[in-house]
Amino acid sequence: MTATRLRLWTTIIIAFVLFLLLRFGVTMYTNWLWFQSVKFESVYVTSLLAGVAVFFGAGVPFAIIFVGNLMLARWFSTRGELFLGQRRTLDLPIFGWLVWATGLFLGLAVAAAATPRWLDFLRFFNQASFGVRDPLFGQDVGFYVFTLPMYHFIQGWLITTLLMSLIGVLIIYFFAQLHNLREGEIIVLPHVRLHASALGAALFAVVAWGHRLAAFDLLYSPRGVAFGASYTDVHAELPALQAMFWLAIIIAGTLLVNVILRRLWLPLIGVGVWMAVGLVIISIVPGFMQRYLVEPNELAREAPYIEHNIQFTRQAYGLDNVDERDFGQVERLGVEQLEASQTTLQNIRLWDYRPLGQTYRQIQEIRLYYGFTDLDIDRYWIDGDYRQVILAARELDQSQLQSVTWVNQHLQFTHGYGVVMNPVNEVTPEGLPQLWIKDLPPEISVPLTIERPEIYYGELTTNYVFVNTGIEEFDYPRGDENVYTFYEGTGGVPLDSYPKRLAFALRLADANVLLSQYIDSNSRLMFNRRIQDRVRQVAPFLRYDNDPYLTIMDGKLYWIQDAYTVSDRYPYAEPVNRDINYIRNAVKVVIDTYNGSMTFYISDPTDPLVQTYAAIFPTLFTPQDAMPDGLREHLRYPEGLFRIQATMYQTYHMRDVNVFYNKEDLWDLPREVFSGQDQPVEPYYVIIRLPGEVQATGSPGEEEFLLIQPFTPATKDNLIAWMAGRSDGQHYGQLVVYRFPKQELIFGPLQIEARIDQDPEISAQLSLWSQRGSQVIRGNLLVIPMERSLLYVEPLYLQAESGQIPELKRVVLASGERVVMAETLAEGLVRLFPQLDLRLGAEAVEVPASEAETPQPSPVVSGELPSDLSQQVYDLARQADEHYMAAQEALRAGDWATYGSELDAMEQALRQLVEITDALAE
């Protein structure tokens, strides 16, 4: 019976081992094939070998030390039993097998826990210098980012190994004493004291090293006013750790001496003293100092440490290179400024991405199985004009297929098709976007070409597909029929052998990979098709922006994915979350939507982290100089990084210690109303000329593509500054901040929203729409800097409650003290400035020649209306007319309440007109 059970267990173990080998073997093999298909097999080999090296490097030494100590304890115990003539219970073979099995199991557990740290080892051996030293220990920042984590790992591994070994040998010696325990006696033999003292000495030596490493960790202390080592940390915690270090060294030396003396009380006293001293000087003394010495004189005590926090936080987030400028006194926006800023005006974004996304889905998804995941903002040169556009990829959403079969999901419906694009400021008479690229196949009305509209790799491509099979792929619908195609690219893993098909059948748990007659030696398997999963598979050590964006170059579609190098080990730097206190946009990944090829361009070669990764993976990265110009023209300042920098800058623009301590100049994000909800203003892209920007020739700077974020003082609504991330040419990646004069009130978005609500004409129109059962959607309120002036723009959309397409119905403009609403941006600008002459995209707005050429006479000589009164008369007449038209609409709809209120508003406007004319007559 015993032999049968043994054979059964042996069979089970062998089967389990074979299962693990098959599972991991298949995964490794298919991963190798995938990395080979994307031409990054060296990256896979490097990471795989590093993981294997760490696995065995951590597991094998642990097992040797653990088993060696237990076998030594067993030998000591059996030798003692022989000497005493007692039973040799520990000398049984089963006990030896048990020791080996325990060592193997724990060794595997330690190895498995250590393997994910393979990158820490590679970074340690390939580390680059930051060129910045901390003020407390004088170490390069690279020591904290690359070396200290490695030391902590080794110290933790040694603690685990020695502690488990000590516990194991004590268990062995406990079993050796069972016969004495039964008789009520405890005899600690000399060899037990010797062995335990030696392990204890080694353990306390490692504990002493841990105290030494803990001193460096004070640079991440949250104790004080600012993140990093505080006064208490430096003057209480650091001396305490130094004392604990020497105390642990003394205890380790005492235990080492006890190997010879073999006194039982020495280890016990040493451990007791270490615990008691640690409790007093690490737990009690720092708290006492913080409460009674630091808090009553906090600013004076903490001032140098606050300064360290400010300096290193600004470095960690790239805020030390911010170009800070004074905006100067805000000037009244005039006609000359507007006419000189036609590029800016024709790129004011009227289409908010949220209602526009609904419009795209309503008019351009074409079929249920197409979808638009995200809308991207970019810029293109169109007929010599620099134009800001919104575009989106029309991807295939397999979850919306009406007939869900294996062939449909994996062989026929394999890719999306085409893009939709519209300029940010053009609107059709129906209130819809003026589409430059639309429909299937793509109809393009601007000088752009798309020769490869198929999208095999995108944001919705979560399923694996097979191409070049025996069945045609669905390409796009055309009327009542469908157009089919065969894949002509190089993407995917070739299935040119039976072992590959077998491996992927096991990997995907899909027997149809072997059974389907459509799949042959010419077929290719595409998986890891979702672009963020795809790039993470190659470079998991980078962080990726949530918003990859699409661009068109040379007739092909490409995704551009921003990637960040991050760390949580930058000394003194305030964390933005629990695992980031350093970030750089060091890499741009370009992904071909047709072939799935990836190119990792280094966009910040000065970053020490990307230098380290480039040393580890020399074939992974490509210099940005090798990026085609057509792609470089579409690089954007990444919004994810910009948000983090803007968040940190709200506090860390304050560099004076006193101001920082008191938070006297704390900033916040402005608020706006979107779709009836109060929310923070999001960063937004614009094309403007930076105020005061001058070229090398002395001429004014050119308009450029910027990502901007306004700021307000904390708990206030007026503007205090705005930040811009530059995206064009040699200025790419630069941050600029313009500060408004503190003594001047500059309206913030929420204050403009309040003025909009208080305007009788606008509020009446909004109320009328709402009463008719429609939802009014207020889009982003954009603050547009124009030289030394500001223009506020908010689009208004109307959507029926039945969920129909949102339509752009009005544009609200504000400048200075005036707020106007018009059907178009151009009309609104003319209402603000009647003498304006400009062209906005396809919409021309020109003042009549007779009016433009006639000089405006002096109001004193001619007796005619001054320009401000002329504008006032014009506005009142226009208001009276609009109220009359609204009253007529209400009358036809039978809405008597609105009809009466509109007549009252018209009467009020007419009375004001009469008052002006009477005053002039007098």
Side-chain angles (χ1 to χ4, degrees), residues 222-272:
R223 184 198 303 272
V225 177
F227 188 82
S230 65
Y231 181 91
T232 300
D233 293 318
V234 173
H235 293 88
E237 189 90 6
L238 181 58
L241 289 171
Q242 292 170 340
M244 293 297 292
F245 167 79
W246 288 111
L247 180 59
I249 290 293
I250 292 172
I251 294 173
T254 302
L255 291 173
L256 199 60
V257 171
N258 199 50
V259 171
I260 300 174
L261 298 179
R262 303 180 185 179
R263 298 289 187 267
L264 179 62
W265 52 270
L266 275 178
L268 298 178
I269 291 178
V271 172

Side-chain angles (χ1 to χ4, degrees), residues 316-374:
Y317 295 98
L319 302 179
D320 54 332
N321 295 319
V322 172
D323 184 3
E324 297 180 348
R325 307 176 183 180
D326 289 327
F327 192 84
Q329 184 176 5
V330 178
E331 301 172 356
R332 187 180 182 87
L333 186 62
V335 173
E336 292 182 358
Q337 294 166 305
L338 290 172
E339 291 181 344
S341 304
Q342 295 206 22
T343 299
T344 296
L345 293 176
Q346 72 176 355
N347 286 290
I348 291 177
R349 180 168 58 85
L350 302 181
W351 286 105
D352 188 293
Y353 67 92
R354 287 159 289 198
L356 182 61
Q358 297 180 49
T359 301
Y360 272 18
R361 285 186 282 274
Q362 292 275 0
I363 66 176
Q364 280 295 307
E365 282 187 349
I366 311 296
R367 294 289 189 273
L368 290 174
Y369 42 76
Y370 285 127
F372 296 102
T373 305
D374 191 21

Side-chain angles (χ1 to χ4, degrees), residues 577-747:
N577 55 41
R578 65 180 181 85
D579 60 348
I580 295 179
N581 75 343
Y582 171 91
I583 185 169
R584 291 291 186 274
N585 177 214
V587 178
K588 304 279 189 181
V589 190
V590 177
I591 305 102
D592 188 318
T593 63
Y594 189 70
N595 291 320
S597 60
M598 295 170 282
T599 308
F600 290 74
Y601 292 101
I602 294 180
S603 55
D604 185 1
T606 64
D607 173 44
L609 275 170
V610 82
Q611 292 173 8
T612 299
Y613 293 138
I616 297 171
F617 306 105
T619 63
L620 174 59
F621 297 103
T622 302
Q624 186 163 308
D625 293 341
M627 179 183 288
D629 292 338
L631 285 175
R632 195 176 306 162
E633 292 174 355
H634 295 282
L635 296 182
R636 306 187 317 190
Y637 200 103
E639 187 174 339
L641 173 63
F642 188 77
R643 286 176 180 267
I644 290 175
Q645 291 175 318
T647 299
M648 301 308 297
Y649 198 77
Q650 293 171 35
T651 302
Y652 286 92
H653 70 276
M654 298 181 286
R655 283 173 285 181
D656 181 88
V657 172
N658 289 344
V659 175
F660 184 93
Y661 174 79
N662 294 302
K663 299 295 186 288
E664 298 175 20
D665 193 21
L666 190 64
W667 294 354
D668 200 355
L669 298 182
R671 313 287 295 182
E672 67 172 346
V673 176
F674 173 78
S675 192
Q677 300 294 324
D678 183 72
Q679 65 176 31
V681 171
E682 299 178 348
Y684 49 92
Y685 290 98
V686 295
I687 292 180
I688 64 172
R689 181 187 297 113
L690 284 176
E693 188 77 6
V694 179
Q695 301 185 41
T697 59
S699 58
E702 297 291 334
E703 284 88 352
E704 53 183 298
F705 188 65
L706 304 171
L707 179 62
I708 71 173
Q709 174 69 70
F711 295 108
T712 63
T715 71
K716 302 290 184 181
D717 292 326
N718 58 287
L719 291 181
I720 191 67
W722 57 278
M723 173 185 282
R726 309 178 75 172
S727 300
D728 288 349
Q730 62 182 357
H731 300 299
Y732 176 83
Q734 297 177 6
L735 283 177
V736 183
V737 170
Y738 285 87
R739 295 173 179 260
F740 294 112
K742 291 186 178 180
Q743 68 277 10
E744 186 177 355
L745 174 63
I746 312 299
F747 289 125

Side-chain angles (χ1 to χ4, degrees), residues 25-40:
V26 166
T27 301
M28 290 173 58
Y29 176 60
T30 52
N31 280 344
W32 162 260
L33 292 175
W34 184 83
F35 274 90
Q36 190 179 48
S37 71
V38 296
K39 298 180 172 55
F40 287 128

